[in-house]
Amino acid sequence: MLKTLHIIGSDELGGAERFFLRLVSALHEDGWETAVILRHGSALDAQLPAALTRFRLGMRTPLSRWRIQRIVRSWQPSIVQTYMGRATALTRLPENGSTVHLARLGGYYSLKRYRHAHGWIGNTHGLCDYLIEHGLPADRVFQIYNFIDMPAESAIAPAPPLLPALPENAKIMLAVGRLHPVKGLQFLLEAFARLPEHLDGQPVYLVIVGDGPLRQVLQNQAGTLGIAQRIHWAGWQNELLPYYRAADLVVFPSLKEETLGNVILESWAYGKPLLTSNSRGARELCAHLENAWCVPCQDTEALAAGMQHLLTQPELCGRIARAGQDKVRQQFNRHRILQQYQQLYQHLQGSDYPAASA
């Protein structure tokens, strides 16, 4: 099999990093000779398979570029795949070499740091259209979705109480993601404040899993809105299973800039009903009343109405949850997406692939 080297410059965990972990771990488990280059001190290090070959760099100075080149010359991978801007900018391969540089993008970024790659992977069709519209050659832009591993049936079964602090009979809404403006959590808090404290005689709580620069701002907002006592801030969690198991409804209120949304796939995989804003990613993945309840971005009234309606309509929730689960099984499973990556790698290495910059 081909040797692949995967390079990422992140020091913290987020949605893109979770997918990096899933993909390189899956390639490694599938028998591919796989290695990674990580930033010194990256939280990813402890999450990767122990037997996976890894190199650690500073990822901050021009010296890192030379070290990456040295690792590539020594390890001789067929494919070097970089993730996001820092790693891509530092990776400069010789134009006359046999190694192909693929840059994987998960957002609508400026392409200045990406144009020197030999090819580009976008995780949605909309993102690939953007890359081509901004001057990248269409025959070197490839679309491959993210995948999500399906949990065991026992993981989907009803869960025991999530936390002693929450009433055992609480209706729990779950939001997962980095506490960043694009995730739209400020609008979720405003919408949650519109809900009654009880629905069908049960107390209503919001659990937010994640961390980020807006944590204090959001907590202050919750206090101002008078809902702080009905929100549990779980912080960053490596293991999401208990939270998805406990949720009655998953809410994903991202702004339109959200490219895909791993939370969409996760909620479907766990068989949970999903309420999502119509972000770019959600518009490509979701169908209103079929596999999700979709509302306009930044519309707190629609968010509140959707939450209240779904929390009181168990039959509707069950129907859209089952449809979402069917879709993730068919289109976003590990085998399907891994096969697409493997076929792309083999195609690129087996062809006279251009190495010139776009």
Side-chain angles (χ1 to χ4, degrees), residues 196-322:
E197 294 188 12
H198 291 77
L199 288 171
D200 295 336
Q202 296 175 260
V204 180
Y205 280 79
L206 174 63
V207 175
I208 298 177
V209 176
D211 211 339
L214 286 188
R215 183 181 181 110
Q216 192 59 57
V217 172
L218 293 170
Q219 289 180 332
N220 291 344
Q221 180 186 2
T224 300
L225 291 169
I227 54 175
Q229 298 304 312
R230 295 195 291 138
I231 300 177
H232 174 69
W233 304 86
W236 178 262
Q237 298 291 328
N238 290 327
E239 180 52 70
L240 296 175
L241 168 62
Y243 296 92
Y244 277 109
R245 285 186 66 190
D248 296 290
L249 175 65
V250 177
V251 185
F252 188 60
S254 284
L255 307 189
K256 65 179 181 179
E257 293 83 1
E258 183 74 60
T259 308
L260 185 145
N262 287 303
V263 173
I264 294 173
L265 305 184
E266 290 169 358
S267 65
W268 285 347
Y270 282 98
K272 296 298 179 177
L274 170 69
L275 190 164
T276 180
S277 60
N278 278 318
S279 63
R280 284 167 166 165
R283 290 198 301 269
E284 186 165 320
L285 302 182
C286 301
H288 182 55
L289 291 180
E290 181 179 321
N291 50 39
W293 185 281
C294 304
V295 300
C297 295
Q298 304 182 41
D299 189 332
T300 57
E301 185 175 350
L303 263 176
M307 290 189 290
Q308 183 162 346
H309 185 71
L310 289 170
L311 287 175
T312 56
Q313 299 292 325
E315 290 186 7
L316 173 61
C317 282
R319 179 166 58 80
I320 64 175
R322 287 189 295 273

Side-chain angles (χ1 to χ4, degrees), residues 4-8 17-38 44 47-49 52-53 81 83 147 334 338 341 345:
T4 66
L5 175 65
H6 300 256
I7 309 176
I8 191 167
E17 290 77 15
R18 283 190 191 278
F19 179 71
F20 171 89
L21 287 169
R22 287 198 295 272
L23 179 59
V24 297
S25 298
L27 288 168
H28 175 72
E29 292 166 11
D30 210 41
W32 284 63
E33 195 169 357
T34 306
V36 300
I37 298 179
L38 304 171
L44 288 162
Q47 302 296 316
L48 289 164
L52 184 69
T53 300
Q81 185 162 309
Y83 299 72
F147 71 83
R334 174 193 285 225
L338 194 62
Y341 271 98
Y345 296 159

